[in-house]
Amino acid sequence: MFDELFNNLTNFILSKAKETLNELEKPLAIPEPAEPFVLIRRFTLADSIVTKGGIGIVGESWQIEAYDDNSQRFLTNSTDPLRKVILFEIAEPDVQECVLACHFNAKALNTEKSIAVSLGVGRPRESGGLRTTSWGRGVSPEENFQPYKVRAYFKKEADAAKIQIIVQFESSGILQIKDIELLQAPVKSQS
């Protein structure tokens, strides 16, 4: 009898935990796009990068290092990344809602952990700065450039948003990235 009661309680707790997790994931869910995606912007080596320091040009790509002259070279106990680099920031799309996509080619070098490349929607906070919701893709160590895609969901709100392409390092290393494109598609209607 005790085993049956314990199993019922365990199943109840697990089902409630799963329901809660599903509710927490809803704001981050990306709806299906109505194809095809349309190119908004193609970034070139002539474009200015938002974050300065520890970034150079190697051949046809940007090379971003985990450290710049101002970075501390050790991790603290916080959940913050070792270094966060905002590559590009553009104004929000002129639509009510859409699915955004960032396509790029990248390779990670000399790193213990994958390097996250994120597509984020940043909105102003009352206390200043931006509150960014982002969707990311890890770039694992590779010898050659590999194609990657990351998608995000945008919905217009009262405060204007900034669309950001962000790189986050969790360990030392180098990211080489090129052929960065930002695309958008309308959201597929829910029938």
Side-chain angles (χ1 to χ4, degrees), residues 117-137:
V117 178
S118 303
L119 183 56
V121 178
R123 299 196 184 277
R125 289 183 178 174
E126 289 181 21
S127 59
L130 289 180
R131 170 186 48 90
T132 304
T133 304
S134 62
W135 294 262
R137 175 79 166 91

Side-chain angles (χ1 to χ4, degrees), residues 173-189:
I174 296 170
L175 178 75
Q176 288 185 341
I177 188 168
K178 65 180 183 176
D179 306 325
I180 303 172
E181 296 179 336
L182 187 60
L183 304 101
Q184 79 179 33
V187 173
K188 193 176 207 176
S189 63

Side-chain angles (χ1 to χ4, degrees), residues 10 60 95-96 125 129 141:
T10 301
E60 297 292 316
V95 294
Q96 276 305 114
R125 289 183 178 174

